[in-house]
Amino acid sequence: MKKVIRYLRFSRLGQSNGSIEAQQLCTDQWITFNNAELVDTFIDIGKSARTFDRPDFIRLQKFILKHYQKVDYLLVDQLDRFSRNAGEALTTVKDLQSSYGIQVVSATEGITFDYDTPGSFFRAGLQFLLAEEDNINRSIKIRKGLYTAKVQEGRHLHRTPPFGYRKNGIGKKSHLVIHEDEAKIVRFIYENYLHGMPLYVIKKEVHDMGFNRKSNMAVENILRNPVYAGLLKVEPFKEFPGGLFPGIHEPLIDKETWRAIQSKINKPIKERVILDEELPLRGVLKCHCGNPLTGAPSRSKTGRYFYYYKCRLSKHNNISAIKAHEQLLATLSLMRLPEQIINEIIKHCQAHINKGLRSNRLKIITQQELVFEIEKKLSAVEEKWIMNEISKDSFEKWYSEYSNKLNSLRESIEKLKYQVDKAINILEQNLDLLVDMKHIYKQAALLQKRELIRMIFDDNLYYENGIYKTPTLISALQHHFLFRKEGGYLLYEKSGI
Ligand SMILES: [Zn+2]
């Protein structure tokens, strides 16, 4: 009579699993039908087939080690009782037969797995693969759940909230809330990166501000994380597209800034730019070959330093910084904002000044009323003095107090009047400067200079054959391309794209 051990497993999670009773019934029938003898039964309840770490399965293994000579078959009702990992389960089936002479039997499927018979083993493999497919379907359900949670409900699902946020609530109610101290650092990083502060400087600054993330890429990761623009990155799911979807949390950065940062951070800039007042265009100006120009001083025979912009491929460009800067200023001096924008600026300035004027006039009126009152009091005091109604001491006391007040009021009125006149004068005298790119550039600090040039030329300022060249120019400044080449400083060739 063939001797059989039996392994039953019931997982509470898998509803499709037959109950232990059903499994027992099914395997009982096989035993009766095959006239076999049941040696022992091993049962795991509430254990998943994904793991071999099940107590009775371990007991079963120990039993086999000890008593394999007395056992012919290991009986299960279905193969997926064993494992949902096809490779792992097949190895077990194979080992049981080759090492212990025990064959695995699936009662429901009516198969006795025989490693030595190719067809049978193939069927075993197939059964396991089907079980594994079941597993995959389950993981698809989970992934679909994640997709819906993100895309339709806009929920941030990572266990740890990103820097700048905290997690509030649990389960489906959990959501991100801004942590203001950290958010300040995030905004600082975005703002300064956008305005050209090199990453190494940003890293140093935020460290001093208390940014404590240890990873080398922590700042870059913050710049790349769409969460800060209120977006969630979602993996595609089946026919549903992946991409960025709006989240329910409050953003720290507007979407336009975030997108601008992405195109900036994804541009490979090989050299890290070290800021230098003498070479404001280093890393901003490019060689005609596309490489950003580097720059360095070189010492002349007299011991003076001269600065140069150079291409890595030295024959391309080696421009004296003095010449380059002169040409740039000459180019900028040709650039003025168009009439329409100038008028807008004047309108805004005047509105602003008028507002100031009105409030100044009000101040002047109230102060003049005060002057009038005090003058009355002063003459009253004089009268009393003349009429001998007060002593010389009190007259002098009151007289000096009132005249002091009067003096300071008159002074303040003069000042207010002067400020009004001055404001109008300043506007009239400096409007020219306000729209004069050369002036703006010269007044700007180093980082602003770099940003201004990047902005005007849309990050596409090149140098070739002793002249600046650009395919792009911001629209506000395109109108006078008078100076195509005749200026001799800039060649503006609109790209065909
Ligand atoms: Zn080059």
Side-chain angles (χ1 to χ4, degrees):
M1 196 186 268
K2 297 283 186 194
K3 293 202 166 84
V4 178
I5 47 173
R6 174 163 71 169
Y7 177 67
L8 309 175
R9 182 183 62 80
F10 178 68
S11 138
R12 286 181 229 277
L13 300 167
Q15 276 77 26
S16 62
N17 285 353
S19 67
I20 289 292
E21 290 73 29
Q23 293 181 34
Q24 208 159 4
L25 201 74
C26 173
T27 43
D28 276 346
Q29 279 172 348
W30 187 90
I31 291 164
T32 318
F33 188 79
N34 288 280
N35 198 20
E37 184 197 335
L38 183 67
V39 179
D40 206 345
T41 298
F42 302 84
I43 304 174
D44 275 320
I45 291 178
K47 298 291 169 187
S48 157
R50 271 187 225 179
T51 165
F52 277 117
D53 185 20
R54 297 167 244 148
D56 247 35
F57 193 78
I58 292 164
R59 230 165 45 77
L60 169 74
Q61 285 172 315
K62 282 182 183 158
F63 182 90
I64 289 170
L65 271 177
K66 227 174 165 180
H67 306 290
Y68 65 93
Q69 278 160 331
K70 291 184 242 161
V71 179
D72 300 299
Y73 294 111
L74 170 61
L75 180 62
V76 290
D77 81 314
Q78 263 178 71
L79 260 178
D80 63 359
R81 301 285 167 242
F82 238 20
S83 170
R84 289 188 185 276
N85 177 325
E88 206 173 22
L90 279 178
T91 311
T92 309
V93 171
K94 193 175 115 184
D95 283 351
L96 279 174
Q97 189 173 358
S98 60
S99 308
Y100 306 108
I102 299 174
Q103 279 183 280
V104 174
V105 176
S106 159
T108 312
E109 290 141 327
I111 310 166
T112 304
F113 296 101
D114 182 3
Y115 183 62
D116 300 325
T117 312
S120 163
F121 204 70
F122 171 76
R123 284 181 65 193
L126 197 64
Q127 285 303 326
F128 280 121
L129 286 173
L130 287 174
E132 195 153 271
E133 194 191 55
D134 206 40
N135 229 11
I136 290 167
N137 284 334
R138 200 160 303 167
S139 105
I140 284 175
K141 268 186 211 151
I142 292 168
R143 273 166 47 218
K144 181 157 188 245
L146 290 176
Y147 187 89
T148 329
K150 279 184 171 178
V151 173
Q152 285 169 10
E153 297 159 24
R155 282 159 52 213
H156 183 268
L157 296 171
H158 285 288
R159 211 169 305 154
T160 45
F163 185 82
Y165 288 98
R166 290 290 181 273
K167 214 150 216 195
N168 246 12
I170 36 166
K172 284 206 161 194
K173 291 242 168 72
S174 92
H175 63 282
L176 296 177
V177 287
I178 293 176
H179 182 272
E180 205 38 61
D181 287 348
E182 290 183 4
K184 263 184 209 139
I185 295 177
V186 173
R187 291 193 194 102
F188 177 89
I189 292 173
Y190 271 85
E191 199 144 303
N192 286 285
Y193 185 73
L194 189 68
H195 290 104
M197 187 185 276
L199 276 170
Y200 80 99
V201 179
I202 295 179
K203 286 178 185 178
K204 223 181 104 228
E205 296 272 325
V206 293
H207 180 263
D208 294 344
M209 288 167 79
F211 182 64
N212 57 0
R213 300 274 159 126
K214 291 283 178 290
S215 148
N216 277 336
M217 299 294 281
V219 167
E220 286 90 335
N221 291 340
I222 283 185
L223 286 167
R224 287 200 166 94
N225 195 341
V227 162
Y228 298 116
L231 300 167
L232 298 171
K233 187 169 188 277
V234 182
E235 297 301 326
F237 174 73
K238 286 192 168 172
E239 71 271 26
F240 303 110
L244 297 174
F245 290 84
I248 46 170
H249 62 281
E250 199 182 327
L252 293 180
I253 309 296
D254 64 89
K255 288 188 188 61
E256 287 64 40
T257 305
W258 188 81
R259 286 190 208 280
I261 297 262
Q262 299 320 299
S263 56
K264 197 165 172 170
I265 201 167
N266 291 328
K267 270 180 200 161
I269 296 171
K270 278 140 215 151
E271 288 105 318
R272 103 175 182 185
V273 175
I274 296 163
L275 296 175
D276 186 337
E277 294 282 351
E278 300 289 343
L279 295 161
L281 300 179
R282 181 159 64 187
V284 174
L285 179 60
K286 289 168 194 163
C287 175
H288 52 84
C289 73
N291 283 319
L293 293 175
T294 62
S298 102
R299 225 173 103 141
S300 74
K301 280 177 200 144
T302 61
R304 270 189 69 194
Y305 281 99
F306 290 94
Y307 289 84
Y308 291 88
Y309 290 109
K310 296 173 187 175
C311 177
R312 276 193 293 128
L313 310 162
S314 62
K315 281 187 181 147
H316 284 174
N317 267 311
N318 192 355
I319 330 154
S320 138
I322 295 173
K323 185 186 171 198
H325 296 161
E326 273 171 5
Q327 284 178 309
L328 183 72
L329 288 178
T331 307
L332 291 174
S333 70
L334 292 170
M335 290 182 179
R336 290 181 58 86
L337 290 171
E339 205 69 18
Q340 190 199 336
I341 292 180
I342 295 174
N343 290 338
E344 279 298 305
I345 294 174
I346 294 175
K347 238 168 65 190
H348 273 96
C349 289
Q350 275 173 344
H352 202 73
I353 288 172
N354 281 335
K355 209 174 137 194
L357 280 178
R358 269 197 299 279
S359 98
N360 275 4
R361 269 193 216 110
L362 282 175
K363 276 184 203 152
I364 292 173
I365 289 168
T366 42
Q367 288 182 358
Q368 237 146 14
E369 278 166 0
L370 265 176
V371 167
F372 188 61
E373 258 169 55
I374 294 169
E375 275 172 348
K376 266 205 298 197
K377 283 180 184 164
L378 190 63
S379 60
V381 169
E382 276 172 338
E383 219 160 282
K384 281 179 182 167
W385 163 243
I386 292 164
M387 304 295 286
N388 259 335
E389 281 168 26
I390 47 170
S391 70
K392 191 178 178 248
D393 278 357
S394 35
F395 167 72
E396 274 171 358
K397 191 188 134 219
W398 286 112
Y399 185 84
S400 86
E401 189 176 325
Y402 288 142
S403 0
N404 282 345
K405 270 191 184 162
L406 274 179
N407 282 339
S408 78
L409 274 169
R410 282 179 185 136
E411 225 170 80
S412 150
I413 290 169
E414 280 314 299
K415 231 185 196 167
L416 283 168
K417 280 183 177 164
Y418 174 71
Q419 277 172 352
V420 171
D421 295 341
K422 210 176 155 198
I424 292 169
N425 279 341
I426 289 173
L427 178 65
E428 280 169 357
Q429 284 169 10
N430 294 298
L431 246 177
D432 268 7
L433 299 177
L434 202 64
V435 295
D436 173 356
M437 288 302 143
K438 178 180 164 184
H439 176 76
I440 294 173
Y441 179 82
K442 281 175 83 172
Q443 293 290 306
L446 180 58
L447 279 175
Q448 295 171 323
K449 280 192 169 103
R450 297 165 62 83
E451 192 55 25
L452 181 69
I453 295 303
R454 282 205 180 102
M455 190 185 77
I456 292 178
F457 300 102
D458 197 16
D459 219 354
N460 277 318
L461 186 61
Y462 296 87
Y463 202 88
E464 185 171 23
N465 296 330
I467 182 173
Y468 286 100
K469 198 178 152 185
T470 186
T472 48
L473 198 57
I474 53 166
S475 56
L477 294 172
Q478 276 174 14
H479 62 295
H480 30 197
F481 274 88
L482 307 168
F483 57 98
R484 277 194 146 266
K485 202 166 186 178
E486 50 269 44
Y489 314 118
L490 175 73
L491 185 62
Y492 172 51
E493 272 174 351
K494 235 177 173 170
S495 64
I497 322 150

